[in-house]
Amino acid sequence: MKLIGQGAQYRVYDTGDGRVVKKPLSQDETLEVIRRWYEPGKMPANKLTANHPKTAIRSARRINQLITERPELSASLGHPIFAESAVYTQDKVKTLNKIFNSVDIEQGKTLIDAYIGLVIFHWGYGFCEKVFNLTVNNGLDTRGNVILIDFGEITFTKADVARSIRTERWLKSWSYLEQLPDNLRGYYGEEMNKHLTLAKLEATWGSFAQLAS
């Protein structure tokens, strides 16, 4: 297997068969990655005290449970197959940051529309990517669909999503500030504000399937 990427929670290896395997980092490894994001001594206390491996394992288990009960969800998550702990394999895709750099503005808008549709679709099953890092946590599959590929930054709590909507969290994400092309930021902000509303959340959340307790 070939190492092809690493985030704050996982290393990603190409398995050579159109799939990748994602293996979680240890707590110390995750903290080392996060420290690089901040100036010395400026790392928030909640980042230091969070149990990142435990969070990754909990999210993986919930997603595994959900797609077992609702297999129609699997494609929108890259057909993940879970092994021990939080290790899982998944379809290999191109992340949206790579796609945005190779398309024109109209194609970029279409990708944004698809991402918004994906977020609302997942609301129906009771979960959401809580930081809205669209360019790195999402990708384009072989059928041209935008899918969620990172389960380390999701929430299963509606109140968390409502808070993100009130604060327009998507306008503060690293993806928006650092990676989204300048000529798409205005469209992205307007469309996210237009479609991801408290009323839409209330009407949609858990309406397609109820998570098992």
Side-chain angles (χ1 to χ4, degrees), residues 130-145:
K130 61 185 177 183
V131 295
F132 298 98
N133 263 329
L134 82 156
T135 61
V136 292
N137 289 346
N138 303 270
L140 199 67
D141 69 12
T142 56
R143 297 169 301 166
N145 296 320

Side-chain angles (χ1 to χ4, degrees), residues 125-163:
Y125 291 91
F127 68 98
C128 183
E129 180 197 359
K130 61 185 177 183
V131 295
F132 298 98
N133 263 329
L134 82 156
T135 61
V136 292
N137 289 346
N138 303 270
L140 199 67
D141 69 12
T142 56
R143 297 169 301 166
N145 296 320
V146 174
I147 64 170
L148 176 64
I149 58 174
D150 191 326
F151 311 144
E153 296 184 310
I154 59 177
T155 181
F156 298 90
T157 303
K158 183 168 70 170
D160 290 342
V161 185
R163 189 178 306 112

